[in-house]
Amino acid sequence: PVHEMGAATKVLAHAMPSRWAFEALLLLENEQRPTWTPPEVPAPSLPDDTPPTAPEPADAPAPAATDAQTPGEAAPIADSPAPNSPPEQDVAERYFPTGETRTSARAGAIVLTAMLLLLIGAVHTILMARDVH
């Protein structure tokens, strides 16, 4: 992500058309789908010295049913997020945090157009200097 780069690398990144195209497309996607939930963080694994739990025998009784659940029915899924799940966030937040390096899709298109015009001008100037028409 651009906001995690050093100063010299940020300058080079701002000179790359791919950076501006990526940001513009990501911000267009952000307009279509403003928030998303990142994938869950996996639960920490057990240390190697922890003995594994013994499996329950096949003839073990089923857990008691609750009021909202009949015997043999699966437990209802909770509406609250899992403890390891990160909060919803803006699609572009990871790469271009709000308020730091984020511009807009329109600004990205303007920068890309300016870069294209500079490239065409540079090629034209070089060819004219070599007298190739």
Side-chain angles (χ1 to χ4, degrees), residues 54-64:
E56 292 189 27
D59 59 346

Side-chain angles (χ1 to χ4, degrees), residues 17-107:
S18 58
R19 176 252 188 264
W20 293 99
F22 177 68
E23 182 179 11
L25 289 173
L26 194 60
L27 292 175
L28 284 174
E29 177 70 19
N30 189 43
E31 291 173 9
Q32 299 297 318
R33 186 174 35 165
T35 60
W36 73 295
T37 303
E40 286 187 22
V41 177
S45 61
L46 297 173
D48 292 338
D49 60 345
T50 304
T53 58
E56 292 189 27
D59 59 346
T66 61
D67 293 339
Q69 174 183 354
T70 58
E73 181 182 331
I77 298 174
D79 290 336
S80 64
N84 292 342
S85 70
E88 280 195 347
Q89 59 181 250
D90 164 318
V91 174
E93 189 67 28
R94 179 172 178 233
Y95 299 101
F96 303 101
T98 306
E100 285 192 27
T101 58
R102 186 180 294 192
T103 57
S104 67
R106 184 173 184 211

